[in-house]
Amino acid sequence: KGKCLPVGGQSAWSSTLRIREPGRPSLPLVGISAGFDSDAFWKFKARGAAGQAASIATLLAVADAFADYRERRNVSLMVRQAVFMAFTAEQFGYAGSSRFLEDVADFECQGNISNVTTECFGPYMSSTVFLDLRNATWTGVINIGQIGAKNGSSFFSHSAQSTESSLVSRALFRSFGANLTRSSFNHSLSFLPPESVQSFAARGIPATAVTDYDRVFTNQYFNSQFDDISNLRPTPQLCAAADALLQALVELTHAEVNRFLSVNCTLLADLSLCFASSFSNCSTAREYLGDPLFRRTVRPSDPDTNYPGVFLPLPLRRSRARAAFAREDFIFRFLAFQSAEQRTNASCAWDSDCDATWRELNEGAVERGERPRKVVCARGVCVVTETHFHDAFGTGFVATNGFRTAFNVTGGEGNAAFAESYWDEGLGLCYTTENTALYGGLMVVAGVVCWLASIALAFGGKWLVTEKVMKAAVQEPRSSGVI
């Protein structure tokens, strides 16, 4: 039996501290975001190297360097709090970012909320911590757009006219210097570039997108199978942009101007390859997921694609969308480790290995009415983190059951409703093989040979028929008669 489901998946977001902590004043928020899904005519070839892989790799490299910076600084010196956001299904009406922001503003749990896991059971939501963002003060958001095209020479800033002079925009121009140019487009909300910045601007949150294009995409292979690693700009150029983004984030969160801060360029190059080529060969993903989980969820036969597939709630996505979820889980655990409030000494291979750490850390928390600390396994150790998955599907859908597995389309202006067919796994597996250059060449040669043979057969047949007709005409006796 077939049915349609929304295109989507699981986004991930992470804050360096709890958004709301009893006894501590809430800090204004500075967001930094990137999309990590791609699209192409052939979905199994949607790598999005320059379009999206470079963006998510840059976000993670900035998170890594920002974590190193925080380890050397006193938390009390933080003037604003960083929130890292990795969205999927952004190529389908900004479904990830728009769904996240809509839920922050309007979601209401009609059922019970677990006082242990913060899950909502009506409609199902794997975490409701995002509700802490409601009524929070956003200083602004840095949106890392398309920045990876090899023929790009500089970077451009895109923001709505009302936010061009925001703190975020000014910090970006100071950190990039002459390498950042304000877009020549006179932006209003209707004419912002096709990036996540649109979702934030629609909610009145000051946001600035950094891209490698002004009015026309620099990436000529955007959302096609040809946007592969050969289309990526040199790592030093991408690394320079990541350095500037890191410096702007530090200035906004710690009020420190430091032009010597830099990301790990080797890590950035490795992450770019992980998302743009063979994920099964990604040593960084194996490191953060852990070898047992990596071997369970990632297989060499998996297609190298960043296409999200259809939305399924988190428990189902883990089992039914293994290959797509592996990338989402890697991003989640990478952010969980880098944004961790505490990295314990407890080693682990699975989240269940951290149960004892969780019980020790949260002893009596539920009885005191406190939200328990979240503990997950990342990079082989149990970490205390404020990192969470979030459902990503178009805001033009509304769930018709509590587990979010059936939907109606509501539509409406600005509400995306991209869907595709979905079949139960019992129907079998459809796949295609990718031809090698040798096989393709042999097929061309065979085709030419068949073509020449058909021409020879046609002309040979015509000649034989003609010969037979001529011989019959010569041998036919003449008729005689008397006049």
Side-chain angles (χ1 to χ4, degrees):
K1 180 182 179 181
K3 56 186 175 183
C4 287
L5 286 176
V7 175
Q10 293 290 324
S11 299
W13 70 279
S14 181
S15 60
T16 50
L17 296 173
R18 285 191 166 197
I19 303 298
R20 301 191 185 282
E21 182 73 51
R24 176 176 59 81
S26 298
L27 295 174
L29 306 179
V30 174
I32 180 167
S33 73
F36 61 88
D37 65 294
S38 186
D39 194 16
F41 183 82
W42 302 111
K43 306 304 182 187
F44 61 91
K45 290 187 175 184
R47 300 178 182 93
Q52 296 83 28
S55 303
I56 186 61
T58 300
L59 177 74
L60 298 184
V62 169
D64 170 75
F66 188 71
D68 291 341
Y69 173 84
R70 286 195 306 119
E71 288 182 359
R72 304 190 301 269
R73 293 294 184 274
N74 192 326
V75 173
S76 63
L77 299 179
M78 188 182 297
V79 295
R80 299 180 187 89
Q81 181 161 321
V83 179
F84 293 88
M85 295 166 284
F87 297 121
T88 190
E90 288 299 275
Q91 304 311 306
F92 302 89
Y94 324 113
S97 56
S98 60
R99 170 60 58 185
F100 178 71
L101 294 173
E102 179 172 288
D103 287 344
V104 167
D106 302 324
F107 180 82
E108 296 293 340
C109 184
Q110 304 298 323
N112 295 323
I113 295 180
S114 169
N115 56 9
V116 175
T117 63
T118 74
E119 291 172 288
C120 170
F121 294 100
Y124 180 78
M125 190 71 80
S126 61
S127 168
T128 53
V129 176
F130 66 90
L131 294 175
D132 287 350
L133 295 169
R134 189 171 293 177
N135 300 321
T137 300
W138 288 90
T139 298
V141 174
I142 301 170
N143 174 210
I144 307 173
Q146 297 179 55
I147 60 172
K150 67 179 180 181
N151 54 340
S153 57
S154 59
F155 299 96
F156 295 88
S157 162
H158 305 260
S159 55
Q161 290 175 323
S162 58
T163 61
E164 283 185 347
S165 60
S166 68
L167 289 174
V168 169
S169 185
R170 294 202 300 269
L172 285 170
F173 277 102
R174 283 192 292 267
S175 62
F176 273 89
N179 292 325
L180 185 66
T181 304
R182 181 172 280 109
S183 171
S184 60
F185 237 128
N186 190 17
H187 288 311
S188 64
L189 179 59
S190 302
F191 292 98
L192 284 169
E195 307 283 356
S196 305
V197 64
Q198 292 209 19
S199 299
F200 292 100
R203 292 282 173 179
I205 298 173
T208 299
V210 176
T211 70
D212 58 14
Y213 62 86
D214 183 8
R215 290 171 173 259
V216 179
F217 283 178
T218 305
N219 180 9
Q220 59 183 329
Y221 300 126
F222 177 73
N223 275 1
S224 78
Q225 69 186 68
F226 303 109
D227 190 7
D228 54 24
I229 55 175
S230 65
N231 196 37
L232 275 173
R233 70 165 66 225
T235 299
Q237 294 181 19
L238 195 59
C239 204
D243 290 345
L245 291 166
L246 169 65
Q247 293 163 16
L249 184 62
V250 167
E251 179 180 340
L252 289 164
T253 56
H254 289 77
E256 178 183 349
V257 177
N258 187 336
R259 298 297 174 240
F260 296 101
L261 293 173
S262 60
V263 303
N264 183 336
C265 289
T266 302
L267 174 65
L268 176 56
D270 181 60
L271 289 169
S272 297
L273 291 177
C274 287
F275 288 104
S277 58
S278 178
F279 191 74
S280 62
N281 293 326
C282 180
S283 59
T284 306
R286 184 183 293 271
E287 177 184 352
Y288 279 84
L289 288 171
D291 190 65
L293 181 58
F294 185 86
R295 284 188 282 109
R296 173 184 285 187
T297 57
V298 181
R299 298 170 188 170
S301 58
D302 292 338
D304 296 320
T305 178
N306 291 311
Y307 181 71
V310 296
F311 167 78
L312 291 168
L314 183 59
L316 292 180
R317 192 160 177 84
R318 289 183 191 274
S319 58
R320 297 189 184 180
R322 174 190 49 77
F325 182 70
R327 286 168 165 77
E328 298 165 352
D329 202 15
F330 165 54
I331 293 169
F332 168 83
R333 295 181 192 278
F334 190 99
L335 290 176
F337 183 86
Q338 301 301 345
S339 298
E341 296 180 49
Q342 178 186 351
R343 298 170 186 167
T344 72
N345 295 322
S347 60
C348 60
W350 309 95
D351 285 341
S352 58
D353 296 336
C354 298
D355 288 349
T357 303
W358 184 92
R359 287 193 296 269
E360 179 182 352
L361 183 69
N362 293 298
E363 185 176 1
V366 175
E367 291 75 11
R368 294 191 299 269
E370 300 174 1
R371 174 164 64 83
R373 302 281 176 178
K374 184 172 185 175
V375 183
V376 300
C377 182
R379 210 178 186 183
V381 297
C382 299
V383 298
V384 184
T385 185
E386 281 292 280
T387 304
H388 309 275
F389 284 112
H390 196 88
D391 292 350
F393 59 90
T395 53
F397 293 102
V398 59
T400 58
N401 63 8
F403 203 49
R404 286 186 161 181
T405 55
F407 300 85
N408 282 337
V409 177
T410 59
E413 185 177 355
N415 293 321
F418 290 86
E420 69 171 43
S421 297
Y422 174 74
W423 292 270
D424 293 336
E425 293 180 347
L427 290 181
L429 177 67
C430 295
Y431 66 93
T432 60
T433 57
E434 183 174 356
N435 298 331
T436 63
L438 175 62
Y439 180 78
L442 291 174
M443 291 296 290
V444 171
V445 171
V448 172
V449 170
C450 290
W451 174 64
L452 293 175
S454 64
I455 293 176
L457 184 62
F459 279 97
K462 180 181 179 182
W463 180 81
L464 288 174
V465 171
T466 303
E467 284 293 308
K468 286 185 177 182
V469 171
M470 292 296 292
K471 286 181 179 180
V474 170
Q475 295 174 0
E476 183 179 350
R478 295 178 179 272
S479 60
S480 60
V482 178
I483 299 179

